Amino acid sequence: MNWLDMPPLATLRAFAAFAQTGSVTKAGEALNVSHAAISQHLRGLEAHLDTPLLDRSGRALQLTEQGQRLADAVTLGFGAIGTAVQELSAEDAVRPLHISTTPTFAAQWLMPRLHGFRTAHPEIDLMLDPSSAVVPLAPGGIDVALRHGKGEWPGLISEPLLESLLVVVAAPSLLRGKVITDPRDLADFPWLEELGTSESSQWLRAKGVNRGIVGGRVQMPGNMLLDAVRDGQGVSVVVRDFVEPDLKAGRLVELFSEAPSAYHIVTRPGILRPHAKAFVKWLRRQKG
């Protein structure tokens, strides 16, 4: 098909609306434009095709033979498009809301609050994808991602959701009374990390501990991490909000803290589908 030979889509829509309603006024109402705009489109289409599509000899406009042929074709074409759009819209409406987040954030922040969203929106099915991998947000896939970082993901829209200090913590049973005053004091301890991340190594390097972790490192799913830290199996870098109750209760000790970081609501540009829009609106109400 030579697309350059095709009339503008707006012109074909105006012609199809006229063919369906038999009136420029009703066609304008159907497309939410003036009847003058419909008339202009009709004349433009005739000029583009260099063919009379309308008989203007009577009191009312009538399709010519050529006009009827074109009307049959555009009605068939727009009808097929309309059917496909309706089917796709229906499929999208029933598709579960797909959310990507880290296992730690899912276990420590999202799941304790998710009952509120389910109560408010029982009609929305959810699909949670707890993974440390940065999953692409593609049409028909992930609707909303909850990511930790600076909010700089090219081609995506992000807004802060949860801002909190990063802290280095350990259980008293692991420290055994040892006083920690310098990051180098921690290099001999075992370290625990969420699978797919390297916060501990990065933190030690940033603090000038060039020899890195001597005591070994264990990576595990985020939903298991804090239980292992509480059990005294290692030191870890975590979001302070996630361990606030443990710090207050003395189950964990805060050894060092860093500048605040944030989890972000991340979406694709453009209009969100209704289920995703409802979820993002609910997330915003959870701030603070």
Side-chain angles (χ1 to χ4, degrees):
M1 178 182 291
N2 187 347
W3 293 103
L4 296 178
D5 288 342
M6 291 291 290
L9 179 60
T11 298
L12 290 174
R13 289 177 69 234
F15 178 75
F18 170 79
Q20 183 181 47
T21 62
S23 164
V24 293
T25 300
K26 292 181 179 179
E29 292 173 352
L31 297 179
N32 197 28
V33 299
S34 67
H35 70 275
I38 297 294
S39 296
Q40 184 176 358
H41 279 306
L42 296 179
R43 292 187 184 278
L45 183 58
E46 288 179 312
H48 183 93
L49 299 175
D50 194 21
T51 301
L53 303 174
L54 301 169
D55 182 356
R56 296 178 173 83
S57 61
R59 297 183 59 181
L61 294 177
Q62 299 290 332
L63 292 172
T64 63
E65 180 181 349
Q66 296 92 330
Q68 188 61 57
R69 286 172 54 195
L70 181 60
D72 293 341
V74 295
T75 299
L76 181 63
F78 280 121
I81 293 172
T83 298
V85 168
Q86 289 178 357
E87 291 175 350
L88 292 174
S89 297
E91 291 176 3
D92 194 59
V94 299
R95 182 170 62 87
L97 177 64
H98 201 164
I99 304 163
S100 171
T101 184
T102 64
T104 298
F105 190 81
Q108 301 300 321
W109 192 93
L110 183 58
M111 292 307 299
R113 294 168 171 80
L114 198 58
H115 176 71
F117 179 78
R118 297 290 296 125
T119 300
H121 299 279
E123 77 283 1
I124 298 180
D125 292 332
L126 298 175
M127 182 184 298
L128 298 183
D129 184 7
S131 171
S132 297
V134 180
V135 183
L137 272 66
I142 301 295
D143 292 293
V144 180
L146 303 173
R147 295 181 179 176
H148 185 267
K150 297 180 180 180
E152 301 172 353
W153 293 281
L156 299 175
I157 297 173
S158 67
E159 61 177 282
L161 172 62
L162 172 66
E163 186 173 293
S164 178
L165 293 173
L166 281 178
V167 293
V168 179
V169 296
S173 60
L174 177 71
L175 299 175
R176 297 180 180 178
K178 182 175 181 180
V179 178
I180 306 297
T181 60
D182 188 282
R184 288 173 293 185
D185 298 334
L186 295 173
D188 292 327
F189 284 94
W191 282 74
L192 306 178
E193 289 179 341
E194 183 171 3
L195 193 65
T197 66
S198 57
E199 281 90 346
S200 56
S201 300
Q202 293 173 358
W203 186 82
L204 286 168
R205 284 196 299 268
K207 298 303 178 183
V209 185
N210 296 325
R211 61 181 178 142
I213 299 172
V214 178
R217 180 176 64 173
V218 178
Q219 290 190 319
M220 61 186 67
N223 58 324
M224 300 171 57
L225 179 68
L226 290 182
D227 284 340
V229 177
R230 295 182 188 110
D231 194 42
Q233 297 183 34
V235 183
S236 189
V237 180
V238 299
V239 174
R240 196 181 199 281
D241 276 32
F242 297 164
V243 294
E244 188 74 40
D246 297 290
L247 296 174
K248 290 181 178 179
R251 290 186 293 269
L252 296 178
V253 178
E254 180 180 326
L255 304 173
F256 300 96
S257 64
E258 296 298 318
S261 59
Y263 279 90
H264 298 261
I265 304 169
V266 184
T267 57
R268 295 187 303 274
I271 299 175
L272 295 176
R273 66 190 186 106
H275 289 177
K277 188 175 182 179
F279 184 67
V280 170
K281 185 176 180 180
W282 173 80
L283 286 172
R284 289 170 178 153
R285 292 199 296 269
Q286 310 309 306
K287 294 183 181 180

